[in-house]
Amino acid sequence: QVQLVESGGGLVQAGGSLRLSCAASGRTFSIYVMGWFRQAPGKEREFVAAIRRSGNTYYAESVKGRFVISRDNAKDTVYLQMNSLKPEDTAVYSCAADRAVSTDPTADYKYDYWGQGTQVTVSS
């Protein structure tokens, strides 16, 4: 089993920045891909960013150039640095872990473990 705990959400003005953290515990050696997803009220959950154990990264078009995903393997922690935030970035952000080596990192159904989520609110 793997446990994921997110932190770092909050309220920020448009144009501001936030950094989300996702700390993994348990059988972390089994994780190959870590991802961030978000869900706004009344909308479906959508892919934000992902990073493989190899370091390869993936981003949704809507956040490319503004968000950066990174990982600290020594701390079993993944980060999402969010810059130039927009009101449309407002959502609950959740991190997820996938044990599969070959997978589509943008597909939420591929992930095996999920955190509880952290609220990000961007005011205009």
Side-chain angles (χ1 to χ4, degrees), residues 27-95:
R27 300 172 65 87
T28 58
F29 61 86
S30 66
I31 299 172
Y32 284 91
V33 183
M34 294 288 293
W36 285 96
F37 291 79
R38 66 186 182 186
Q39 187 167 21
K43 295 187 177 181
E44 293 189 355
R45 184 164 57 193
E46 64 174 357
F47 169 75
V48 177
I51 185 167
R52 292 189 184 276
R53 182 181 289 181
S54 63
N56 289 351
T57 57
Y58 307 83
Y59 295 95
E61 285 297 323
S62 59
V63 307
K64 200 172 290 185
R66 300 188 297 123
F67 291 10
V68 178
I69 188 171
S70 61
R71 64 193 298 168
D72 184 333
N73 291 327
K75 296 182 179 180
D76 286 327
T77 300
V78 173
Y79 305 96
L80 185 68
Q81 178 66 44
M82 305 186 295
N83 302 318
S84 301
L85 283 161
K86 305 175 181 180
E88 51 263 44
D89 294 318
T90 295
V92 174
Y93 285 70
S94 300
C95 72

Side-chain angles (χ1 to χ4, degrees), residues 9-29:
L11 173 65
V12 64
Q13 288 187 333
S17 299
L18 281 176
R19 188 177 81 155
L20 305 183
S21 300
C22 175
S25 61
R27 300 172 65 87
T28 58
F29 61 86

